[in-house]
Amino acid sequence: SAVISQKPSRDICQRGTSLTIQCQVDSQVTMMFWYRQQPGQSLTLIATANQGSEATYESGFVIDKFPISRPNLTFSTLTVSNMSPEDSSIYLCSVVEGVEQYFGPGTRLTVT
Amino acid sequence: AQSVAQPEDQVNVAEGNPLTVKCTYSVSGNPYLFWYVQYPNRGLQFLLKYITGDNLVKGSYGFEAEFNKSQTSFHLKKPSALVSDSALYFCAVRDGSNYQLIWGAGTKLIIKP
């Protein structure tokens, strides 16, 4: 299975600032997803990031707030822009390998 | 519309007893069904999946799940629970034509010694 790492693992940020989360995969994958998860709750899909195309955002998420880069088949970044306390959450990247989906360890973001 | 229901927010089981975590689904095409586990402060780990074939699928850590097409269910089971099984469990589904998963709300499993 794919091994996924994320940086940073956690951060505490001030409102109004931006944070870029990196996701690195140990193999080349076409499909990558970014999720948000409140602690103890289910996952909410932010966007699908396929290499070579623009990211596709889910309802309620926009590119200006959550810009995504996917420069190659092993790497992606998600930026949380102009943060507010409501953005405090766990952010997870995920890749599809075969029919299964694998997840990174997550980035725990706290906005003060 | 596609959906997944995990009717129990929390399941409490004594160590050594069998456990069941329930999941029902609604999907338009042939369902691809998955169970994931999340330990405290950890990422999501894949447990098992059903795509086709035998209705009883076996996965990691001694877990298994039974696909029941008529009841549109995919309950997670383990014959003998361990305290270390305590975690948050998620059921997810997609149809064969779409890679996007639909997630259940999650069930917190607590195994008491």
Side-chain angles (χ1 to χ4, degrees):
Chain A
S1 62
V3 177
I4 305 167
S5 60
Q6 285 185 237
K7 291 182 181 179
S9 59
R10 60 177 61 225
D11 207 343
I12 300 173
C13 302
Q14 291 190 343
R15 69 172 65 207
T17 62
S18 297
L19 176 72
T20 295
I21 302 168
Q22 299 179 9
C23 178
Q24 180 75 53
V25 189
D26 69 342
S27 58
Q28 293 185 335
V29 293
T30 302
M31 302 191 70
M32 185 176 283
F33 301 95
W34 285 97
Y35 286 91
R36 186 167 71 182
Q37 183 189 26
Q38 296 293 336
Q41 303 203 4
S42 191
L43 283 74
T44 300
L45 181 64
I46 297 171
T48 302
N50 293 335
Q51 199 271 335
S53 62
E54 295 289 325
T56 303
Y57 290 84
E58 297 301 306
S59 177
F61 298 95
V62 295
I63 188 171
D64 289 346
K65 175 69 175 176
F66 297 100
I68 290 171
S69 77
R70 184 82 202 273
N72 57 52
L73 291 173
T74 64
F75 187 79
S76 178
T77 66
L78 170 75
T79 299
V80 187
S81 304
N82 188 25
M83 289 184 283
S84 66
E86 292 71 36
D87 294 320
S88 296
S89 192
I90 300 166
Y91 292 84
L92 297 157
C93 70
S94 171
V95 303
V96 173
E97 192 172 75
V99 297
E100 295 160 16
Q101 201 169 119
Y102 296 97
F103 289 82
T107 296
R108 185 178 291 262
L109 171 63
T110 303
V111 183
T112 61
Chain B
Q2 298 182 108
S3 64
V4 176
Q6 292 182 243
E8 302 150 320
D9 292 336
Q10 182 169 310
V11 171
N12 298 301
V13 178
E15 186 176 28
N17 283 1
L19 71 87
T20 299
V21 183
K22 295 179 180 177
C23 173
T24 58
Y25 66 91
S26 174
V27 68
S28 55
N30 291 323
Y32 288 20
L33 294 150
F34 303 85
W35 276 102
Y36 287 84
V37 59
Q38 188 173 37
Y39 298 101
N41 300 311
R42 301 277 295 277
L44 281 158
Q45 296 182 34
F46 169 78
L47 268 183
L48 51 80
K49 69 178 184 290
Y50 172 84
I51 305 299
T52 187
D54 193 349
N55 289 346
L56 184 65
V57 293
K58 295 185 182 297
S60 307
Y61 312 121
F63 283 93
E64 58 190 27
E66 186 168 12
F67 170 63
N68 188 317
K69 187 174 183 178
S70 62
Q71 296 185 7
T72 61
S73 66
F74 190 55
H75 301 330
L76 181 70
K77 300 181 180 183
K78 188 172 182 179
S80 178
L82 300 172
V83 173
S84 58
D85 292 330
S86 298
L88 188 56
Y89 290 79
F90 290 99
C91 181
V93 68
R94 66 174 176 91
D95 67 35
S97 62
N98 188 344
Y99 282 99
Q100 185 172 325
L101 286 172
I102 307 301
W103 294 87
T107 298
K108 185 175 184 179
L109 178 62
I110 297 177
I111 309 300
K112 298 184 178 179

